[in-house]
Amino acid sequence: MNYSEITKSDKRFPKKLREIPDCPQKLYCIGNVDLFSKPIIAIVGSRKASEYGKIITKKFASYLASNGYVIASGLAIGIDAQAHKSALSVEGYTIAVLGTGIDEIYPASNKSLADEILKKKGLIVSEFSPKTPFAKYNFPLRNRIIAGLSQAVIISEAAEESGSLITAKLACEYGREVFGVPQNITNFNSHGVNDLIKGGANVLSSEGDLEEFFGAKGENKKIASLSLEEREVFELITVEAMDFEQISKKSKLSADKLSAALVYLELKGLARCQSNVYFRC
């Protein structure tokens, strides 16, 4: 198993996560660590998800992922799994944060989903060393990482005692936006979310609510329209400014394809060139 150990002092360590008071000192990662530099929104919820919960999770996760946001969740059954799958279904990116070691997928039934996340250039993350088994007390710790990574947390569906409410509480403490999706009051899984909304969480009832907060139709819409080659180049110059030769070596694109990608990024207003060095606008 090939994994990366990223310490808090590493420039690849997620900046948002550094902001929280109980920041982990190290992360174990498998997959695309460049996702840490992208805008991340968490979507979490009940393990015993209703059909309504799955539908609204798919609605918002696929919308955000297709507009350039990375979807973070906890790889649990129910809402978490639906959030990951929905991001992947629109060729978007997703991050799975584990409460076990990086090599101990829990639940085991989501092993194929974890494999698909990696296959589609996603990322699996844990603060726990490899071989760390399942333990209930590790999951609140996992939840703080989900909240800390993200600029906002969406609770799709949650009962009164749901672990997702821990994530929401932590997100509030960290100064993140928290969204709750209004629920049917007769559904057991509605009570936690409805209480969140009564307590002041943002009401999320349509994509328009997300546009109002995040402007998802701006730059992120442009990013979503990029081809795989254009996106690869864009991601490289997002991490650091580079000249043509440096980009060529890292991307391994032909000179013609790289030139075309850079011209397109400039036309879209996503990149600029100054003194032969390309950087993200």
Side-chain angles (χ1 to χ4, degrees):
M1 177 190 63
N2 296 319
Y3 63 87
S4 302
E5 294 183 32
I6 301 178
T7 63
K8 188 178 177 182
S9 60
D10 192 311
K11 68 178 183 179
R12 296 173 297 170
F13 196 90
K15 292 180 181 178
K16 296 290 288 183
L17 191 58
R18 277 202 191 100
E19 297 172 0
I20 71 173
D22 48 354
C23 175
Q25 296 302 305
K26 180 190 293 185
L27 294 175
Y28 297 89
C29 306
I30 302 177
N32 184 8
V33 295
D34 290 342
L35 295 185
F36 285 144
S37 65
K38 295 178 174 294
I40 300 169
I41 294 181
I43 301 181
V44 295
S46 174
R47 286 175 169 80
K48 298 179 180 179
S50 68
E51 282 306 306
Y52 172 75
K54 291 178 182 178
I55 289 169
I56 59 176
T57 299
K58 181 177 181 180
K59 174 185 177 73
F60 293 122
S62 58
Y63 173 79
L64 287 165
S66 65
N67 279 283
Y69 287 93
V70 177
I71 302 301
S73 199
L75 200 67
I77 59 173
I79 296 299
D80 288 19
Q82 184 64 62
H84 293 304
K85 291 175 183 176
S86 300
L88 297 175
S89 72
V90 293
E91 303 302 320
Y93 295 117
T94 188
I95 298 173
V97 184
L98 306 186
T100 58
I102 201 78
D103 54 347
E104 298 282 340
I105 301 299
Y106 180 86
S109 57
N110 276 344
K111 177 64 167 62
S112 60
L113 176 56
D115 291 340
E116 186 179 3
I117 288 171
L118 296 177
K119 182 180 178 181
K120 294 190 175 180
K121 297 186 178 181
L123 178 63
I124 297 178
V125 180
S126 177
E127 72 170 312
F128 303 106
S129 59
K131 306 298 182 184
T132 301
F134 166 82
K136 279 188 175 181
Y137 50 78
N138 284 343
F139 284 83
L141 298 175
R142 182 275 310 269
N143 292 347
R144 92 185 190 289
I145 293 180
I146 294 175
L149 278 175
S150 309
Q151 65 185 78
V153 173
I154 296 172
I155 310 297
S156 294
E157 187 174 53
E160 286 180 308
E161 302 298 324
S162 172
S164 303
L165 301 184
I166 296 174
T167 309
K169 179 178 181 294
L170 290 167
C172 288
E173 292 176 1
Y174 300 155
R176 312 304 195 236
E177 294 288 351
V178 176
F179 292 84
V181 181
Q183 305 282 311
N184 180 343
I185 62 173
T186 63
N187 177 8
F188 172 76
N189 279 340
S190 73
H191 301 163
V193 180
N194 288 342
D195 286 347
L196 269 181
I197 293 171
K198 285 191 290 184
N202 300 297
V203 177
L204 179 56
S205 58
S206 71
E207 291 92 337
D209 296 328
L210 295 172
E211 290 175 25
E212 182 179 344
F213 271 87
F214 304 113
K217 284 194 172 180
E219 182 188 77
N220 292 305
K221 190 70 173 180
K222 295 178 184 177
I223 295 171
S225 71
L226 300 178
S227 68
L228 290 176
E229 292 170 348
E230 291 157 356
R231 183 176 288 192
E232 180 182 5
V233 174
F234 179 73
E235 289 170 359
L236 287 173
I237 63 173
T238 294
V239 175
E240 60 178 310
M242 299 182 190
D243 61 27
F244 188 94
E245 186 177 347
Q246 290 172 312
I247 302 170
S248 179
K249 285 180 180 179
K250 286 184 176 284
S251 68
K252 297 181 180 179
L253 295 176
S254 68
D256 287 346
K257 287 186 176 180
L258 178 54
S259 295
L262 288 168
V263 168
Y264 186 82
L265 290 173
E266 288 190 83
L267 289 173
K268 282 284 186 179
L270 293 172
R272 286 184 63 191
C273 180
Q274 187 171 339
S275 301
N276 296 318
V277 174
Y278 291 87
F279 56 92
R280 175 176 176 165
C281 287

